[in-house]
Amino acid sequence: VLAPTRELALQVCEAFERYADRMHGVKVLPVYGGQGYGVQLSALRRGVHIVVGTPGRIMDHLDKRTLDLSELRFLVLDEADEMLNMGFYDDIKTILTEAPEQRQTVLFSATMPPAIMEITKEFQKNPKIVAVDKGKRTVNAIEQYYYQVPQSRKIDCLVLLLQLHAPKRAIVFCNTKKMVDELVEHLNDSGFKSIGLHGDMRQNLRTQVMQDYKSGKINILIATDVAARGIDVEDIDAVFNYDIPQEFEYYIHRIGRTGRAGKAGASYTLASNRTQVNKIRDLERFIGTPIKLQPIPSPELIIKKNREKFADKI
């Protein structure tokens, strides 16, 4: 199984292990950069049934001849569009070329850009395309709001929203790594417990970030779309789109992390100009669900709500 990020590779491995819980002797191995070769080499020498890895590290093992694909029967490309966005096209083609012709190839993708269609033509025989409803059923269960706010006041608006809603666990999405770092610094200075997650972080640090977030030690995770792939955390109260995503499918991926298993969920998106408001309108048409305009909360409203919460607690 090829996956774009380490987090997603680990999540897929965990899923395989759960599914194979009552099957004797099924061996699953995650293979990714940032982890020492020793653990991976010893496991590969002993033999495994399923390898889940990022394209770069899989290529390393192929180059070193420590991974043998001659007996491969099933090849899965998970989040194929994201792997292409991350520049793995050549690696994927090399891996597909080295795999035996007699195999089943399964490709999962949120979008179907021309590069993916090229892969299906070249490496799949008579492929069947299975299309789902773009996640519209999922987003219908989530309350969606947006706020018009000048670019210079976006951070202030986010702080007010976090103070008003006080989520027990939330994700804030940004489009750039730089913005992730800036928001973490600003929110922590404002008294919140936040932590960042993006592709420039070392693997051990990313693992620690997810442990702190899952355990509740940190309740606000600030992430880019790529870094957030593979995050599987229950009970996320709210998703905040500090930046509107570049692709509409990303919006569905983002907000779909809340409102799971029949629980209430909400998303809050910041729009800073007319172009972004128009993008919100396009998003509404795409998902077939209204995204409601809300006034930016005032400090007075936040104080009133906090008093009410305190009174309820008493």
Side-chain angles (χ1 to χ4, degrees):
V1 181
L2 291 176
T5 66
R6 303 150 184 174
E7 287 77 19
L8 188 56
L10 288 168
Q11 185 186 325
V12 171
C13 276
E14 287 170 12
F16 270 121
E17 285 162 359
R18 284 201 305 272
Y19 301 149
D21 185 43
R22 298 180 186 277
M23 297 168 67
H24 178 66
V26 176
K27 295 174 184 173
V28 186
L29 176 69
V31 170
Y32 53 85
Q35 183 190 47
Y37 280 95
V39 177
Q40 297 172 8
L41 290 172
S42 58
L44 288 168
R45 286 192 191 106
R46 289 194 302 271
V48 295
H49 301 96
I50 302 160
V51 173
V52 186
T54 51
R57 183 52 68 96
I58 293 285
M59 282 292 294
D60 287 347
H61 282 291
L62 291 176
D63 291 342
K64 295 175 190 293
R65 301 193 179 282
T66 49
L67 177 62
D68 177 15
L69 301 183
S70 61
E71 300 294 320
L72 189 73
R73 292 175 57 206
F74 303 99
L75 179 62
V76 179
L77 278 69
D78 198 8
E79 305 276 16
D81 55 342
E82 197 55 50
M83 285 195 283
L84 295 181
N85 288 341
M86 293 169 72
F88 289 130
Y89 183 75
D90 291 337
D91 288 352
I92 289 168
K93 284 193 73 170
T94 302
I95 294 163
L96 287 165
T97 303
E98 295 222 3
E101 276 198 38
Q102 295 302 313
R103 66 170 193 268
Q104 183 179 23
T105 304
V106 185
L107 185 148
F108 294 91
S109 183
T111 59
M112 297 297 277
I116 284 184
M117 299 311 292
E118 283 299 313
I119 288 174
T120 64
K121 283 179 195 169
E122 191 172 350
F123 295 101
Q124 290 183 302
K125 294 174 183 174
N126 304 315
K128 298 279 190 293
I129 296 179
V130 181
V132 296
D133 63 357
K134 297 180 179 174
K136 291 180 184 178
R137 289 179 192 153
T138 308
V139 301
N140 284 343
I142 300 163
E143 290 291 329
Q144 299 172 64
Y145 305 101
Y146 80 96
Y147 300 81
Q148 285 184 258
V149 56
Q151 184 70 31
S152 60
R153 300 301 305 276
K154 278 175 75 174
I155 290 182
D156 295 337
C157 181
L158 178 64
V159 167
L160 291 171
L161 290 172
L162 288 169
Q163 288 174 339
L164 179 68
H165 299 291
K168 290 179 182 171
R169 185 176 279 141
I171 300 184
V172 180
F173 280 101
C174 303
N175 289 348
T176 66
K177 301 165 191 174
K178 183 173 181 286
M179 199 66 243
V180 168
D181 292 336
E182 283 183 25
L183 276 185
V184 169
E185 185 178 352
H186 192 95
L187 291 185
N188 288 343
D189 286 347
S190 301
F192 296 98
K193 291 180 180 177
S194 72
I195 201 162
L197 186 72
H198 58 64
D200 282 354
M201 297 165 67
R202 295 191 313 276
Q203 180 56 37
N204 60 343
L205 185 55
R206 288 163 72 156
T207 303
Q208 185 61 52
V209 164
M210 288 313 302
Q211 285 175 355
D212 290 348
Y213 185 56
K214 285 181 176 179
S215 69
K217 186 177 175 183
I218 298 290
N219 68 324
I220 300 170
L221 180 69
I222 304 171
T224 56
D225 289 293
V226 172
R229 293 283 173 125
I231 292 176
D232 188 21
V233 180
E234 295 298 320
D235 299 325
I236 293 174
D237 302 330
V239 169
F240 297 84
N241 293 305
Y242 185 82
D243 296 316
I244 298 175
Q246 305 293 340
E247 304 286 342
F248 288 167
E249 285 86 357
Y250 285 0
Y251 179 82
I252 293 170
H253 280 300
R254 287 180 179 189
I255 71 170
R257 297 174 189 280
T258 184
R260 291 182 172 182
K263 294 178 181 174
S267 73
Y268 308 93
T269 301
L270 305 186
S272 59
N273 54 46
R274 177 52 52 190
T275 303
Q276 291 185 3
V277 171
N278 289 339
K279 200 164 185 180
I280 297 279
R281 296 280 165 265
D282 293 338
L283 261 172
E284 285 181 319
R285 286 189 285 273
F286 180 75
I287 60 177
T289 305
I291 304 172
K292 302 164 195 165
L293 175 64
Q294 293 287 300
I296 297 168
S298 65
E300 291 76 23
L301 176 64
I302 293 166
I303 291 167
K304 182 185 174 191
K305 192 162 183 179
N306 286 340
R307 279 182 182 153
E308 289 170 356
K309 284 179 187 171
F310 184 59
D312 288 342
K313 199 177 284 187
I314 291 171

mmCIF file of all heavy atoms in Angstrom, residues 1-4 8 12 16 19 74-85 92 96 104-113 116-117 119-120 124 127-132 229 253:
data_model
loop_
_atom_site.group_PDB
_atom_site.id
_atom_site.type_symbol
_atom_site.label_atom_id
_atom_site.label_comp_id
_atom_site.label_asym_id
_atom_site.label_seq_id
_atom_site.Cartn_x
_atom_site.Cartn_y
_atom_site.Cartn_z
ATOM 1 N N VAL A 1 0.861 -1.179 0.000
ATOM 2 C CA VAL A 1 0.000 0.000 0.000
ATOM 3 C C VAL A 1 0.894 1.224 0.000
ATOM 4 O O VAL A 1 1.769 1.357 0.863
ATOM 5 C CB VAL A 1 -0.919 0.030 1.244
ATOM 6 C CG1 VAL A 1 -1.818 1.265 1.197
ATOM 7 C CG2 VAL A 1 -1.750 -1.230 1.342
ATOM 8 N N LEU A 2 0.672 2.119 -0.948
ATOM 9 C CA LEU A 2 1.403 3.390 -0.990
ATOM 10 C C LEU A 2 0.521 4.480 -0.398
ATOM 11 O O LEU A 2 -0.661 4.598 -0.748
ATOM 12 C CB LEU A 2 1.768 3.752 -2.432
ATOM 13 C CG LEU A 2 2.810 2.873 -3.127
ATOM 14 C CD1 LEU A 2 2.977 3.320 -4.572
ATOM 15 C CD2 LEU A 2 4.133 2.932 -2.402
ATOM 16 N N ALA A 3 1.076 5.283 0.501
ATOM 17 C CA ALA A 3 0.337 6.369 1.150
ATOM 18 C C ALA A 3 1.206 7.626 1.133
ATOM 19 O O ALA A 3 2.429 7.538 1.186
ATOM 20 C CB ALA A 3 -0.010 5.987 2.588
ATOM 21 N N PRO A 4 0.589 8.823 1.071
ATOM 22 C CA PRO A 4 1.380 10.047 0.925
ATOM 23 C C PRO A 4 2.159 10.463 2.168
ATOM 24 O O PRO A 4 3.208 11.087 2.059
ATOM 25 C CB PRO A 4 0.342 11.107 0.556
ATOM 26 C CG PRO A 4 -0.947 10.578 1.068
ATOM 27 C CD PRO A 4 -0.844 9.088 0.975
ATOM 28 N N LEU A 8 -0.622 8.645 7.665
ATOM 29 C CA LEU A 8 -1.618 7.815 6.976
ATOM 30 C C LEU A 8 -1.118 6.375 6.862
ATOM 31 O O LEU A 8 -1.903 5.427 7.028
ATOM 32 C CB LEU A 8 -1.926 8.390 5.587
ATOM 33 C CG LEU A 8 -3.088 7.715 4.852
ATOM 34 C CD1 LEU A 8 -4.362 7.743 5.678
ATOM 35 C CD2 LEU A 8 -3.343 8.367 3.496
ATOM 36 N N VAL A 12 -3.205 3.213 8.319
ATOM 37 C CA VAL A 12 -3.598 2.063 7.490
ATOM 38 C C VAL A 12 -3.087 0.769 8.127
ATOM 39 O O VAL A 12 -3.800 -0.248 8.164
ATOM 40 C CB VAL A 12 -3.064 2.220 6.044
ATOM 41 C CG1 VAL A 12 -3.277 0.938 5.243
ATOM 42 C CG2 VAL A 12 -3.767 3.382 5.349
ATOM 43 N N PHE A 16 -5.282 -2.516 9.294
ATOM 44 C CA PHE A 16 -5.004 -3.901 8.892
ATOM 45 C C PHE A 16 -4.881 -4.807 10.112
ATOM 46 O O PHE A 16 -5.395 -5.932 10.124
ATOM 47 C CB PHE A 16 -3.708 -3.977 8.076
ATOM 48 C CG PHE A 16 -3.898 -3.815 6.591
ATOM 49 C CD1 PHE A 16 -3.270 -2.794 5.898
ATOM 50 C CD2 PHE A 16 -4.701 -4.696 5.874
ATOM 51 C CE1 PHE A 16 -3.436 -2.645 4.537
ATOM 52 C CE2 PHE A 16 -4.872 -4.562 4.504
ATOM 53 C CZ PHE A 16 -4.240 -3.532 3.833
ATOM 54 N N TYR A 19 -8.315 -5.515 11.508
ATOM 55 C CA TYR A 19 -9.090 -6.438 10.661
ATOM 56 C C TYR A 19 -8.546 -7.866 10.764
ATOM 57 O O TYR A 19 -9.293 -8.839 10.650
ATOM 58 C CB TYR A 19 -9.057 -5.985 9.195
ATOM 59 C CG TYR A 19 -9.603 -4.595 8.957
ATOM 60 C CD1 TYR A 19 -9.101 -3.799 7.928
ATOM 61 C CD2 TYR A 19 -10.606 -4.062 9.758
ATOM 62 C CE1 TYR A 19 -9.575 -2.520 7.713
ATOM 63 C CE2 TYR A 19 -11.086 -2.788 9.562
ATOM 64 C CZ TYR A 19 -10.566 -2.011 8.529
ATOM 65 O OH TYR A 19 -11.043 -0.739 8.320
ATOM 66 N N PHE A 74 -1.404 -7.703 -4.710
ATOM 67 C CA PHE A 74 -2.308 -6.546 -4.617
ATOM 68 C C PHE A 74 -1.479 -5.284 -4.385
ATOM 69 O O PHE A 74 -0.612 -5.263 -3.525
ATOM 70 C CB PHE A 74 -3.292 -6.712 -3.455
ATOM 71 C CG PHE A 74 -4.113 -7.961 -3.533
ATOM 72 C CD1 PHE A 74 -3.752 -9.073 -2.789
ATOM 73 C CD2 PHE A 74 -5.225 -8.047 -4.356
ATOM 74 C CE1 PHE A 74 -4.487 -10.239 -2.851
ATOM 75 C CE2 PHE A 74 -5.967 -9.207 -4.428
ATOM 76 C CZ PHE A 74 -5.601 -10.312 -3.673
ATOM 77 N N LEU A 75 -1.776 -4.249 -5.148
ATOM 78 C CA LEU A 75 -1.095 -2.960 -4.992
ATOM 79 C C LEU A 75 -2.155 -1.879 -4.832
ATOM 80 O O LEU A 75 -3.053 -1.746 -5.666
ATOM 81 C CB LEU A 75 -0.222 -2.665 -6.210
ATOM 82 C CG LEU A 75 0.547 -1.338 -6.210
ATOM 83 C CD1 LEU A 75 1.532 -1.277 -5.057
ATOM 84 C CD2 LEU A 75 1.290 -1.153 -7.525
ATOM 85 N N VAL A 76 -2.065 -1.117 -3.730
ATOM 86 C CA VAL A 76 -3.059 -0.081 -3.432
ATOM 87 C C VAL A 76 -2.374 1.279 -3.396
ATOM 88 O O VAL A 76 -1.347 1.441 -2.741
ATOM 89 C CB VAL A 76 -3.752 -0.344 -2.068
ATOM 90 C CG1 VAL A 76 -4.777 0.756 -1.770
ATOM 91 C CG2 VAL A 76 -4.408 -1.706 -2.054
ATOM 92 N N LEU A 77 -2.943 2.250 -4.109
ATOM 93 C CA LEU A 77 -2.485 3.643 -4.033
ATOM 94 C C LEU A 77 -3.543 4.415 -3.255
ATOM 95 O O LEU A 77 -4.653 4.627 -3.753
ATOM 96 C CB LEU A 77 -2.319 4.254 -5.428
ATOM 97 C CG LEU A 77 -1.021 3.960 -6.172
ATOM 98 C CD1 LEU A 77 -0.959 2.497 -6.588
ATOM 99 C CD2 LEU A 77 -0.912 4.826 -7.416
ATOM 100 N N ASP A 78 -3.224 4.788 -2.023
ATOM 101 C CA ASP A 78 -4.185 5.504 -1.181
ATOM 102 C C ASP A 78 -3.902 7.006 -1.261
ATOM 103 O O ASP A 78 -2.743 7.423 -1.214
ATOM 104 C CB ASP A 78 -4.077 5.023 0.265
ATOM 105 C CG ASP A 78 -5.302 5.385 1.080
ATOM 106 O OD1 ASP A 78 -6.286 5.867 0.494
ATOM 107 O OD2 ASP A 78 -5.282 5.175 2.307
ATOM 108 N N GLU A 79 -4.974 7.809 -1.360
ATOM 109 C CA GLU A 79 -4.825 9.267 -1.518
ATOM 110 C C GLU A 79 -3.904 9.563 -2.707
ATOM 111 O O GLU A 79 -2.944 10.340 -2.598
ATOM 112 C CB GLU A 79 -4.264 9.899 -0.233
ATOM 113 C CG GLU A 79 -5.067 9.594 1.018
ATOM 114 C CD GLU A 79 -6.246 10.525 1.212
ATOM 115 O OE1 GLU A 79 -6.626 11.214 0.245
ATOM 116 O OE2 GLU A 79 -6.785 10.556 2.332
ATOM 117 N N ALA A 80 -4.211 8.946 -3.850
ATOM 118 C CA ALA A 80 -3.328 9.050 -5.023
ATOM 119 C C ALA A 80 -3.144 10.495 -5.476
ATOM 120 O O ALA A 80 -2.043 10.902 -5.858
ATOM 121 C CB ALA A 80 -3.898 8.208 -6.165
ATOM 122 N N ASP A 81 -4.201 11.302 -5.433
ATOM 123 C CA ASP A 81 -4.081 12.696 -5.870
ATOM 124 C C ASP A 81 -3.106 13.473 -4.998
ATOM 125 O O ASP A 81 -2.337 14.302 -5.480
ATOM 126 C CB ASP A 81 -5.456 13.385 -5.896
ATOM 127 C CG ASP A 81 -6.195 13.298 -4.569
ATOM 128 O OD1 ASP A 81 -5.855 12.444 -3.730
ATOM 129 O OD2 ASP A 81 -7.148 14.090 -4.384
ATOM 130 N N GLU A 82 -3.111 13.180 -3.697
ATOM 131 C CA GLU A 82 -2.203 13.880 -2.790
ATOM 132 C C GLU A 82 -0.757 13.472 -3.049
ATOM 133 O O GLU A 82 0.159 14.291 -2.973
ATOM 134 C CB GLU A 82 -2.595 13.602 -1.338
ATOM 135 C CG GLU A 82 -2.014 14.572 -0.341
ATOM 136 C CD GLU A 82 -2.347 16.021 -0.670
ATOM 137 O OE1 GLU A 82 -3.522 16.342 -0.914
ATOM 138 O OE2 GLU A 82 -1.391 16.820 -0.717
ATOM 139 N N MET A 83 -0.548 12.190 -3.359
ATOM 140 C CA MET A 83 0.821 11.745 -3.668
ATOM 141 C C MET A 83 1.351 12.457 -4.911
ATOM 142 O O MET A 83 2.521 12.839 -4.969
ATOM 143 C CB MET A 83 0.855 10.227 -3.852
ATOM 144 C CG MET A 83 0.763 9.471 -2.534
ATOM 145 S SD MET A 83 1.221 7.730 -2.634
ATOM 146 C CE MET A 83 -0.242 7.031 -3.368
ATOM 147 N N LEU A 84 0.471 12.672 -5.900
ATOM 148 C CA LEU A 84 0.894 13.388 -7.104
ATOM 149 C C LEU A 84 1.183 14.852 -6.774
ATOM 150 O O LEU A 84 2.165 15.426 -7.253
ATOM 151 C CB LEU A 84 -0.181 13.289 -8.190
ATOM 152 C CG LEU A 84 -0.439 11.883 -8.745
ATOM 153 C CD1 LEU A 84 -1.502 11.938 -9.838
ATOM 154 C CD2 LEU A 84 0.823 11.256 -9.291
ATOM 155 N N ASN A 85 0.339 15.463 -5.940
ATOM 156 C CA ASN A 85 0.558 16.867 -5.540
ATOM 157 C C ASN A 85 1.896 17.031 -4.818
ATOM 158 O O ASN A 85 2.519 18.098 -4.884
ATOM 159 C CB ASN A 85 -0.568 17.345 -4.606
ATOM 160 C CG ASN A 85 -1.876 17.556 -5.346
ATOM 161 O OD1 ASN A 85 -1.890 17.685 -6.569
ATOM 162 N ND2 ASN A 85 -2.977 17.568 -4.620
ATOM 163 N N ILE A 92 6.004 6.690 -8.148
ATOM 164 C CA ILE A 92 4.850 5.798 -8.297
ATOM 165 C C ILE A 92 4.973 4.995 -9.597
ATOM 166 O O ILE A 92 4.729 3.778 -9.627
ATOM 167 C CB ILE A 92 3.532 6.607 -8.265
ATOM 168 C CG1 ILE A 92 3.270 7.139 -6.846
ATOM 169 C CG2 ILE A 92 2.348 5.752 -8.712
ATOM 170 C CD1 ILE A 92 2.176 8.175 -6.760
ATOM 171 N N LEU A 96 5.182 0.942 -9.854
ATOM 172 C CA LEU A 96 4.197 0.200 -10.646
ATOM 173 C C LEU A 96 4.876 -0.623 -11.739
ATOM 174 O O LEU A 96 4.453 -1.740 -12.051
ATOM 175 C CB LEU A 96 3.192 1.178 -11.270
ATOM 176 C CG LEU A 96 2.174 1.798 -10.302
ATOM 177 C CD1 LEU A 96 1.486 3.000 -10.946
ATOM 178 C CD2 LEU A 96 1.137 0.776 -9.894
ATOM 179 N N GLN A 104 -3.642 -7.177 -8.819
ATOM 180 C CA GLN A 104 -4.778 -6.254 -8.796
ATOM 181 C C GLN A 104 -4.275 -4.906 -8.307
ATOM 182 O O GLN A 104 -3.554 -4.828 -7.305
ATOM 183 C CB GLN A 104 -5.890 -6.751 -7.869
ATOM 184 C CG GLN A 104 -7.105 -5.815 -7.897
ATOM 185 C CD GLN A 104 -8.241 -6.277 -7.019
ATOM 186 O OE1 GLN A 104 -8.018 -7.040 -6.072
ATOM 187 N NE2 GLN A 104 -9.443 -5.837 -7.307
ATOM 188 N N THR A 105 -4.640 -3.836 -9.025
ATOM 189 C CA THR A 105 -4.236 -2.483 -8.643
ATOM 190 C C THR A 105 -5.484 -1.688 -8.274
ATOM 191 O O THR A 105 -6.411 -1.577 -9.072
ATOM 192 C CB THR A 105 -3.505 -1.777 -9.806
ATOM 193 O OG1 THR A 105 -2.392 -2.587 -10.209
ATOM 194 C CG2 THR A 105 -2.979 -0.410 -9.368
ATOM 195 N N VAL A 106 -5.483 -1.167 -7.057
ATOM 196 C CA VAL A 106 -6.624 -0.388 -6.563
ATOM 197 C C VAL A 106 -6.141 1.011 -6.244
ATOM 198 O O VAL A 106 -5.118 1.190 -5.589
ATOM 199 C CB VAL A 106 -7.241 -1.036 -5.305
ATOM 200 C CG1 VAL A 106 -8.496 -0.282 -4.879
ATOM 201 C CG2 VAL A 106 -7.561 -2.493 -5.555
ATOM 202 N N LEU A 107 -6.879 2.021 -6.701
ATOM 203 C CA LEU A 107 -6.445 3.411 -6.576
ATOM 204 C C LEU A 107 -7.565 4.219 -5.922
ATOM 205 O O LEU A 107 -8.699 4.201 -6.406
ATOM 206 C CB LEU A 107 -6.131 3.927 -7.983
ATOM 207 C CG LEU A 107 -5.542 5.310 -8.181
ATOM 208 C CD1 LEU A 107 -4.632 5.287 -9.409
ATOM 209 C CD2 LEU A 107 -6.655 6.323 -8.417
ATOM 210 N N PHE A 108 -7.260 4.855 -4.812
ATOM 211 C CA PHE A 108 -8.225 5.711 -4.115
ATOM 212 C C PHE A 108 -7.825 7.172 -4.288
ATOM 213 O O PHE A 108 -6.665 7.517 -4.085
ATOM 214 C CB PHE A 108 -8.276 5.377 -2.619
ATOM 215 C CG PHE A 108 -8.822 4.013 -2.320
ATOM 216 C CD1 PHE A 108 -7.978 2.924 -2.221
ATOM 217 C CD2 PHE A 108 -10.183 3.817 -2.147
ATOM 218 C CE1 PHE A 108 -8.464 1.660 -1.951
ATOM 219 C CE2 PHE A 108 -10.687 2.553 -1.888
ATOM 220 C CZ PHE A 108 -9.827 1.473 -1.780
ATOM 221 N N SER A 109 -8.776 8.017 -4.649
ATOM 222 C CA SER A 109 -8.449 9.414 -4.900
ATOM 223 C C SER A 109 -9.679 10.286 -4.703
ATOM 224 O O SER A 109 -10.779 9.924 -5.125
ATOM 225 C CB SER A 109 -7.931 9.560 -6.345
ATOM 226 O OG SER A 109 -7.549 10.887 -6.599
ATOM 227 N N ALA A 110 -9.470 11.447 -4.037
ATOM 228 C CA ALA A 110 -10.588 12.383 -3.847
ATOM 229 C C ALA A 110 -10.927 13.098 -5.155
ATOM 230 O O ALA A 110 -12.069 13.455 -5.401
ATOM 231 C CB ALA A 110 -10.233 13.405 -2.770
ATOM 232 N N THR A 111 -9.910 13.314 -5.982
ATOM 233 C CA THR A 111 -10.115 13.961 -7.280
ATOM 234 C C THR A 111 -9.506 13.082 -8.367
ATOM 235 O O THR A 111 -8.711 12.193 -8.085
ATOM 236 C CB THR A 111 -9.452 15.352 -7.313
ATOM 237 O OG1 THR A 111 -8.046 15.194 -7.050
ATOM 238 C CG2 THR A 111 -10.049 16.277 -6.264
ATOM 239 N N MET A 112 -9.870 13.345 -9.610
ATOM 240 C CA MET A 112 -9.352 12.537 -10.729
ATOM 241 C C MET A 112 -8.669 13.433 -11.760
ATOM 242 O O MET A 112 -9.180 13.638 -12.863
ATOM 243 C CB MET A 112 -10.501 11.747 -11.373
ATOM 244 C CG MET A 112 -11.157 10.738 -10.458
ATOM 245 S SD MET A 112 -10.035 9.432 -9.919
ATOM 246 C CE MET A 112 -10.122 8.339 -11.318
ATOM 247 N N PRO A 113 -7.514 14.010 -11.426
ATOM 248 C CA PRO A 113 -6.807 14.866 -12.380
ATOM 249 C C PRO A 113 -6.242 14.039 -13.540
ATOM 250 O O PRO A 113 -6.154 12.803 -13.448
ATOM 251 C CB PRO A 113 -5.686 15.481 -11.546
ATOM 252 C CG PRO A 113 -5.475 14.527 -10.427
ATOM 253 C CD PRO A 113 -6.802 13.910 -10.145
ATOM 254 N N ILE A 116 -3.715 11.182 -12.904
ATOM 255 C CA ILE A 116 -4.242 9.931 -12.359
ATOM 256 C C ILE A 116 -4.877 9.099 -13.468
ATOM 257 O O ILE A 116 -4.720 7.881 -13.526
ATOM 258 C CB ILE A 116 -5.248 10.216 -11.215
ATOM 259 C CG1 ILE A 116 -4.457 10.618 -9.974
ATOM 260 C CG2 ILE A 116 -6.123 9.002 -10.933
ATOM 261 C CD1 ILE A 116 -5.270 10.836 -8.743
ATOM 262 N N MET A 117 -5.582 9.767 -14.380
ATOM 263 C CA MET A 117 -6.184 9.046 -15.505
ATOM 264 C C MET A 117 -5.099 8.392 -16.364
ATOM 265 O O MET A 117 -5.292 7.288 -16.895
ATOM 266 C CB MET A 117 -7.043 9.993 -16.347
ATOM 267 C CG MET A 117 -8.212 10.630 -15.589
ATOM 268 S SD MET A 117 -9.205 9.436 -14.646
ATOM 269 C CE MET A 117 -9.949 8.500 -15.972
ATOM 270 N N ILE A 119 -2.254 7.229 -15.204
ATOM 271 C CA ILE A 119 -1.816 6.043 -14.457
ATOM 272 C C ILE A 119 -2.800 4.894 -14.671
ATOM 273 O O ILE A 119 -2.398 3.750 -14.890
ATOM 274 C CB ILE A 119 -1.658 6.364 -12.957
ATOM 275 C CG1 ILE A 119 -0.416 7.236 -12.736
ATOM 276 C CG2 ILE A 119 -1.555 5.091 -12.116
ATOM 277 C CD1 ILE A 119 -0.236 7.728 -11.324
ATOM 278 N N THR A 120 -4.097 5.193 -14.629
ATOM 279 C CA THR A 120 -5.089 4.126 -14.803
ATOM 280 C C THR A 120 -4.987 3.528 -16.207
ATOM 281 O O THR A 120 -5.100 2.317 -16.385
ATOM 282 C CB THR A 120 -6.538 4.636 -14.560
ATOM 283 O OG1 THR A 120 -6.876 5.619 -15.539
ATOM 284 C CG2 THR A 120 -6.685 5.229 -13.185
ATOM 285 N N GLN A 124 -3.471 -0.105 -15.400
ATOM 286 C CA GLN A 124 -4.633 -0.904 -15.044
ATOM 287 C C GLN A 124 -5.280 -1.444 -16.319
ATOM 288 O O GLN A 124 -5.310 -0.765 -17.345
ATOM 289 C CB GLN A 124 -5.653 -0.072 -14.248
ATOM 290 C CG GLN A 124 -5.174 0.281 -12.837
ATOM 291 C CD GLN A 124 -6.233 1.040 -12.059
ATOM 292 O OE1 GLN A 124 -6.684 2.099 -12.469
ATOM 293 N NE2 GLN A 124 -6.641 0.500 -10.929
ATOM 294 N N PRO A 127 -10.092 -0.911 -16.067
ATOM 295 C CA PRO A 127 -10.439 -0.512 -14.690
ATOM 296 C C PRO A 127 -11.900 -0.110 -14.555
ATOM 297 O O PRO A 127 -12.498 0.443 -15.479
ATOM 298 C CB PRO A 127 -9.522 0.689 -14.433
ATOM 299 C CG PRO A 127 -9.249 1.258 -15.795
ATOM 300 C CD PRO A 127 -9.218 0.084 -16.730
ATOM 301 N N LYS A 128 -12.445 -0.400 -13.390
ATOM 302 C CA LYS A 128 -13.807 0.023 -13.048
ATOM 303 C C LYS A 128 -13.687 1.258 -12.153
ATOM 304 O O LYS A 128 -12.928 1.254 -11.185
ATOM 305 C CB LYS A 128 -14.539 -1.081 -12.278
ATOM 306 C CG LYS A 128 -14.720 -2.378 -13.061
ATOM 307 C CD LYS A 128 -15.900 -2.289 -14.013
ATOM 308 C CE LYS A 128 -16.241 -3.637 -14.619
ATOM 309 N NZ LYS A 128 -15.206 -4.170 -15.520
ATOM 310 N N ILE A 129 -14.431 2.307 -12.475
ATOM 311 C CA ILE A 129 -14.405 3.525 -11.658
ATOM 312 C C ILE A 129 -15.633 3.527 -10.752
ATOM 313 O O ILE A 129 -16.768 3.424 -11.223
ATOM 314 C CB ILE A 129 -14.388 4.797 -12.536
ATOM 315 C CG1 ILE A 129 -13.083 4.845 -13.353
ATOM 316 C CG2 ILE A 129 -14.503 6.051 -11.663
ATOM 317 C CD1 ILE A 129 -12.973 6.038 -14.274
ATOM 318 N N VAL A 130 -15.404 3.632 -9.461
ATOM 319 C CA VAL A 130 -16.486 3.698 -8.472
ATOM 320 C C VAL A 130 -16.492 5.106 -7.900
ATOM 321 O O VAL A 130 -15.518 5.531 -7.263
ATOM 322 C CB VAL A 130 -16.277 2.660 -7.347
ATOM 323 C CG1 VAL A 130 -17.419 2.737 -6.340
ATOM 324 C CG2 VAL A 130 -16.151 1.264 -7.926
ATOM 325 N N ALA A 131 -17.561 5.854 -8.138
ATOM 326 C CA ALA A 131 -17.634 7.247 -7.675
ATOM 327 C C ALA A 131 -18.644 7.352 -6.534
ATOM 328 O O ALA A 131 -19.749 6.810 -6.618
ATOM 329 C CB ALA A 131 -18.055 8.159 -8.826
ATOM 330 N N VAL A 132 -18.250 8.054 -5.469
ATOM 331 C CA VAL A 132 -19.175 8.309 -4.363
ATOM 332 C C VAL A 132 -19.720 9.728 -4.479
ATOM 333 O O VAL A 132 -19.361 10.463 -5.393
ATOM 334 C CB VAL A 132 -18.496 8.078 -2.991
ATOM 335 C CG1 VAL A 132 -18.096 6.625 -2.831
ATOM 336 C CG2 VAL A 132 -17.285 8.969 -2.834
ATOM 337 N N ARG A 229 -3.584 14.592 6.723
ATOM 338 C CA ARG A 229 -4.007 13.320 6.138
ATOM 339 C C ARG A 229 -3.644 12.193 7.090
ATOM 340 O O ARG A 229 -2.532 12.093 7.562
ATOM 341 C CB ARG A 229 -3.298 13.079 4.799
ATOM 342 C CG ARG A 229 -3.681 14.046 3.701
ATOM 343 C CD ARG A 229 -5.036 13.707 3.097
ATOM 344 N NE ARG A 229 -5.462 14.730 2.156
ATOM 345 C CZ ARG A 229 -5.807 14.479 0.889
ATOM 346 N NH1 ARG A 229 -5.742 13.256 0.429
ATOM 347 N NH2 ARG A 229 -6.221 15.449 0.118
ATOM 348 N N HIS A 253 -12.977 17.100 3.258
ATOM 349 C CA HIS A 253 -12.065 16.335 4.114
ATOM 350 C C HIS A 253 -11.901 17.024 5.467
ATOM 351 O O HIS A 253 -11.899 16.371 6.511
ATOM 352 C CB HIS A 253 -10.680 16.229 3.460
ATOM 353 C CG HIS A 253 -10.597 15.178 2.401
ATOM 354 N ND1 HIS A 253 -10.838 13.847 2.637
ATOM 355 C CD2 HIS A 253 -10.296 15.257 1.084
ATOM 356 C CE1 HIS A 253 -10.688 13.154 1.532
ATOM 357 N NE2 HIS A 253 -10.356 13.993 0.558
#
